[in-house]
C-alpha cells in the first residue's frame, strides 16, 4: 500500500493511493497515518477494506507529510562510504546517530525556507524507514519485523550551523521545512529489498546525486537493531538512513549551496518523487 496524507497544513486527511491512480479517503477508517494505524493490526484493517468503495479525494490537493504525529526523527550520518569521503571524514565503526527536530517535517512538495543568516543550505536524498511495531533491544535478524514501510526524505542541512557553530549536528538539521517526507509511506511488502533502491536528486535540472541504497555502510536491519539498543522505537518514528555522494558541500573545486528561487527534485525507486522550491526567510 501507498499511504498518504492530503490537504492543508494541519488539516491533512489520511489517504491511500489506489491501484487505479485515484486517491481514496481513509478518514472514515483511521484517524491519521500515525501511531496505531501503522501497527500490523492497523494495516490489516486497511487491507481488509474495499478501497474502491471509499470516497475519492481531489488529486490537486496538497500532499502532506506521509506520517503524522511523528514521535522521533532519528538520523544516521556518514552511512555511505563515498559520502564520508567527500565530507573529509572517516567511515564510522558504528552508526553515527543524531536527531532532527520533528518541527522540521513538511510535505514532499512544500516550499523549503532558507533559514535566516544561512549561507550553506544543502540537500541530501535519503531512504526513510518508518517503524510500525515497538522495538526494544531487537536483534538484526528480526529488525525488519518492526518496520512498516519506507519513504523518501530530503535531509536538508545548513552546513555552517552543523559544522562550524559548535556542539551537535542537530542545529544544522532542524530548521523549519528541513524535513520533507513522502509523497507516500510505501509498506514494506511492496519493497523487495530496501538495500537495492536507486536514488537521485537534482537542483534546477542538474543531477547532483545518483546513488543506491546498496552502498550503505550499515543496512536498514542493522540500523533499526542498533538504535533499539539505546532507545525504544514506537510506531510512527522515522529513521533517515544517510545519503550517497553528491551533496553541495562536496562539490569540487567549490561547494554549491542552495539559494532562493531554485527547484529541487528527488526520488527513490518505488517510493515516489518530491519537488521543492526554495524561498527566502522573510519574517
Amino acid at each position: 500500500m501507498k499511504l498518504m496524507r492530503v490537504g492543508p497544513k494541519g488539516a491533512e486527511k489520511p489517504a491511500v493511493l489506489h491501484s487505479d491512480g485515484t486517491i481514496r479517503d481513509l478518514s472514515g477508517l483511521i484517524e491519521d497515518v500515525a501511531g496505531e494505524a501503522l501497527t500490523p493490526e492497523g494495516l490489516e484493517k486497511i487491507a481488509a477494506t474495499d478501497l474502491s468503495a471509499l470516497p475519492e479525494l481531489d488529486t490537486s490537493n496538497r500532499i502532506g507529510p506521509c506520517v503524522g504525529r511523528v514521535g522521533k526523527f532519528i538520523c544516521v550520518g556518514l552511512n555511505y562510504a563515498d559520502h564520508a569521503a567527500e565530507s573529509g571524514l572517516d567511515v564510522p565503526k558504528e552508526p553515527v546517530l543524531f536527531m532532527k527536530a520533528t518541527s522540521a517535517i513538511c510535505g514532499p512538495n512544500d516550499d523549503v525556507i532558507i533559514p535566516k543568516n544561512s549561507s550553506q543550505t544543502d540537500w541530501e536524498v535519503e531512504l526513510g524507514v518508518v517503524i510500525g511495531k515497538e522495538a526494544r533491544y531487537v536483534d538484526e535478524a528480526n529488525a525488519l519485523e518492526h518496520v512498516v514501510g519506507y519513504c523518501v526524505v530530503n535531509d536538508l542541512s545548513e552546513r555552517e550551523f552543523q559544522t562550524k557553530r559548535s556542539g551537535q549536528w542537530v542545529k544544522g538539521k532542524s530548521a523549519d521545512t528541513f524535513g520533507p517526507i513522502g509523497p507516500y509511506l510505501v509498506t514494506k511488502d511492496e519493497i523487495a529489498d530496501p538495500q537495492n533502491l536507486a536514488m537521485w536528486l537534482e537542483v534546477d535540472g542538474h543531477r547532483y546525486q545518483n546513488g543506491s541504497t546498496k552502498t550503505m555502510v550499515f543496512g536498514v536491519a542493522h540500523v533499526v537493531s542498533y538504535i533499539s539498543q539505546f532507545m525504544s522505537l514506537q510506531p510512527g518514528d522515522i529513521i533517515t538512513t544517510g545519503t550517497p555522494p553528491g551533496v553541495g558541500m562536496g562539490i569540487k573545486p567549490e561547494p554549491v549551496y542552495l539559494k532562493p528561487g531554485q527547484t529541487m527534485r528527488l526520488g527513490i525507486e518505488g517510493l515516489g518523487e518530491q519537488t521543492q522550491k526554495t524561498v527566502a526567510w522573510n519574517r
Side-chain angles (χ1 to χ4, degrees):
M1 285 185 291
K2 292 181 173 67
L3 300 174
M4 308 173 64
R5 301 171 69 248
V6 298
K9 183 178 179 180
E12 296 92 345
K13 290 185 175 183
V16 62
L17 182 66
H18 194 281
S19 57
D20 65 6
T22 60
I23 298 173
R24 301 290 176 149
D25 187 354
L26 290 175
S27 57
L29 201 64
I30 59 173
E31 182 181 348
D32 201 354
V33 181
E36 288 299 312
L38 300 177
T39 64
E41 296 77 17
L43 286 189
E44 287 175 10
K45 181 179 179 181
I46 298 170
T49 301
D50 178 6
L51 301 181
S52 62
L54 297 177
E56 286 189 38
L57 293 173
D58 188 342
T59 55
S60 67
N61 283 339
R62 168 185 174 268
I63 301 176
C66 60
V67 181
R69 304 199 306 270
V70 175
K72 291 190 285 296
F73 201 177
I74 306 164
C75 305
V76 182
L78 305 175
N79 199 27
Y80 288 72
D82 32 15
H83 172 58
E86 73 174 353
S87 303
L89 299 168
D90 294 333
V91 175
K93 294 181 172 60
E94 297 185 37
V96 173
L97 303 182
F98 60 95
M99 307 293 275
K100 197 173 179 85
T102 57
S103 56
I105 292 173
C106 65
N109 304 319
D110 289 348
D111 289 345
V112 165
I113 301 168
I114 306 292
K116 183 179 181 181
N117 300 320
S118 167
S119 61
Q120 298 182 2
T121 293
D122 204 349
W123 58 81
E124 296 188 11
V125 59
E126 304 202 7
L127 174 68
V129 178
V130 183
I131 299 299
K133 179 181 175 183
E134 190 170 63
R136 287 188 178 89
Y137 302 111
V138 300
D139 58 36
E140 188 169 342
N142 298 313
L144 295 186
E145 295 177 8
H146 297 265
V147 172
V148 62
Y150 306 97
C151 64
V152 181
V153 177
N154 191 353
D155 177 23
L156 287 136
S157 312
E158 212 298 335
R159 301 301 188 187
E160 182 188 11
F161 299 174
Q162 177 187 359
T163 64
K164 297 186 172 80
R165 297 289 295 274
S166 177
Q168 298 183 346
W169 290 356
V170 62
K171 62 190 175 188
K173 297 281 190 172
S174 295
D176 291 351
T177 73
F178 267 29
I181 61 171
Y184 319 116
L185 165 57
V186 181
T187 52
K188 63 184 177 183
D189 59 293
E190 294 197 8
I191 302 300
D193 182 2
Q195 301 308 149
N196 189 24
L197 301 175
M199 56 204 306
W200 55 274
L201 182 143
E202 299 175 350
V203 181
D204 290 341
H206 179 84
R207 183 156 299 197
Y208 285 98
Q209 292 190 277
N210 205 15
S212 170
T213 59
K214 68 173 68 171
T215 65
M216 278 186 192
V217 178
F218 305 105
V220 171
H222 183 92
V223 164
V224 171
S225 171
Y226 183 84
I227 295 173
S228 78
Q229 310 306 310
F230 302 98
M231 66 191 84
S232 62
L233 297 168
Q234 282 78 40
D237 286 349
I238 298 175
I239 303 167
T240 190
T241 53
T243 197
V247 300
M249 177 178 64
I251 303 300
K252 302 293 192 264
E254 294 292 334
V256 175
Y257 295 115
L258 293 165
K259 306 181 295 292
Q262 296 187 293
T263 300
M264 287 178 284
R265 290 183 61 242
L266 58 149
I268 299 179
E269 181 181 359
L271 303 181
E273 299 182 8
Q274 302 183 353
T275 301
Q276 298 116 23
K277 294 187 181 300
T278 55
V279 298
W281 186 90
N282 62 0
R283 294 179 187 175

